[in-house]
Amino acid sequence: TGRLSGKVALISGGAGGCGLAASELFAREGAKVGIVDLPKSKGGEIAAEIRAKGGQAVFAAAYVSVSAEVSAAVRTIEDAFGPITVLFNHAGILAVGPFLETEEAEWDRLMAVNVKSMFLMTKAVLPGMIGAGGGSIVCTSSISAVAATPMEVLYDTTKGACHMFARAIAVEFRDRGIRCNAVCPGFIATDHGNRELAGLSKYGVDVSEAAIAAQQGRMCDPMEVANAALFLASDESSFVNGTHLFVDNCFTAV
Ligand code: NAD
């Protein structure tokens, strides 16, 4: 029993940061969890730890921007647990730097890992999800989708795309029992969040104090993002569709 009992959840980026928090939380709440993360990640160990605690989890290594790897990972998880009914599109990376110094290759890489990944993953999962009678997709957007941060044109653009992807999928698939929402964190105490603050200060943008002040005194805890994703993933949010749930303690512009 649990808030996700009977669900099969695929979590991209499920071996690090908030994705790891979600992998553990979703398993504790009764989901069968498929962790998708980089081959070099700790996904295998994390899945084994979840199983050792009585949960159900498998690891499927994949680069989320590579179509064949995404399809193979989805197949691995479906073979283990049946159709995926919860998809947490969480994997994402960061780039910080002046717009005029942004290389084309970096632009393509961020668009691939942060945006194309959602297309590939969602397209691979939806047929099974629709066949299972419906499900819930949660995409990780950011405050960066609506509050531009200095030195982050590229990153902000990818998160703006995630923001609208979630809503557009909801509109197209709600007639088939699919919900799709976005969770939009502020600065989170993860590798990503810490790199972001360090990167910005390198360019003379003193955000560490301001950013933390914008969130009233502290960074967001990964579990606070995982808990918001849990609500959106579970049937408790059954009439919540196409929305953006901010987890930012009322962030005010840096
Ligand atoms: P993190 O860097 O701690 O973890 C990200 C995980 O994704 C890692 O386990 C990493 O191995 C995995 N990953 C990265 N690239 C991948 C790829 N190509 N294929 C498969 N897996 C890949 O990060 P986090 O803080 O949990 O952030 C991840 C998500 O949260 C991103 O979408 C990011 O944009 C978003 N976000 C983060 C913050 C923040 O301050 N940390 C704020 C808002 C939104």
Side-chain angles (χ1 to χ4, degrees):
T1 61
R3 292 162 69 190
L4 295 180
S5 101
K7 311 279 188 202
V8 176
L10 186 162
I11 302 173
S12 82
C18 309
L20 166 57
S23 295
E24 294 175 340
L25 178 64
F26 286 18
R28 277 203 302 281
E29 291 293 343
K32 297 172 181 166
V33 172
I35 298 171
V36 176
D37 207 300
L38 298 173
K40 64 163 195 214
S41 74
K42 292 202 164 28
E45 283 121 283
I46 292 159
E49 277 165 30
I50 290 172
R51 291 194 298 270
K53 288 181 188 150
Q56 297 193 69
V58 294
F59 172 54
Y63 282 80
V64 290
S65 57
V66 180
S67 179
E69 295 194 16
V70 168
S71 305
V74 167
R75 254 196 321 275
T76 300
I77 294 162
E78 287 178 341
D79 287 349
F81 295 142
I84 292 157
T85 47
V86 168
L87 169 61
F88 187 15
N89 275 322
H90 179 71
I93 54 173
L94 175 74
V96 179
F99 174 70
L100 290 175
E101 289 170 24
T102 306
E103 300 288 347
E104 187 177 347
E106 191 176 31
W107 185 275
D108 289 345
R109 191 168 69 97
L110 235 77
M111 292 299 279
V113 175
N114 290 6
V115 185
K116 186 182 174 188
S117 62
M118 301 221 176
F119 161 66
L120 295 176
M121 203 47 99
T122 305
K123 197 173 168 201
V125 163
L126 267 174
M129 197 180 263
I130 292 167
S136 174
I137 303 169
V138 182
C139 301
T140 300
S141 176
S142 170
I143 46 157
S144 301
V146 294
T149 334
M151 303 289 158
E152 296 191 4
V153 172
L154 170 51
Y155 180 72
D156 293 349
T157 302
T158 68
K159 290 293 149 181
C162 298
H163 222 63
M164 191 44 78
F165 180 82
R167 198 163 167 83
I169 289 286
V171 168
E172 185 163 336
F173 289 97
R174 63 184 171 170
D175 63 345
R176 279 155 281 181
I178 306 291
R179 296 184 297 111
C180 185
N181 294 287
V183 63
C184 311
F187 288 100
I188 318 162
T190 60
D191 290 353
H192 173 119
N194 295 327
R195 268 200 307 274
E196 186 165 9
L197 295 185
L200 287 169
S201 64
K202 192 175 130 203
Y203 289 102
V205 184
D206 178 21
V207 288
S208 50
E209 271 184 35
I212 289 165
Q215 300 181 168
Q216 287 295 301
R218 68 170 172 87
M219 302 275 274
C220 175
D221 185 279
M223 194 51 81
E224 292 173 316
V225 176
N227 273 319
L230 168 64
F231 167 68
L232 293 174
S234 78
D235 294 338
E236 292 162 15
S237 58
S238 49
F239 209 58
V240 180
N241 203 0
T243 200
H244 302 120
L245 177 54
F246 285 80
V247 183
D248 64 356
N249 202 16
C250 194
F251 188 95
T252 48
V254 175

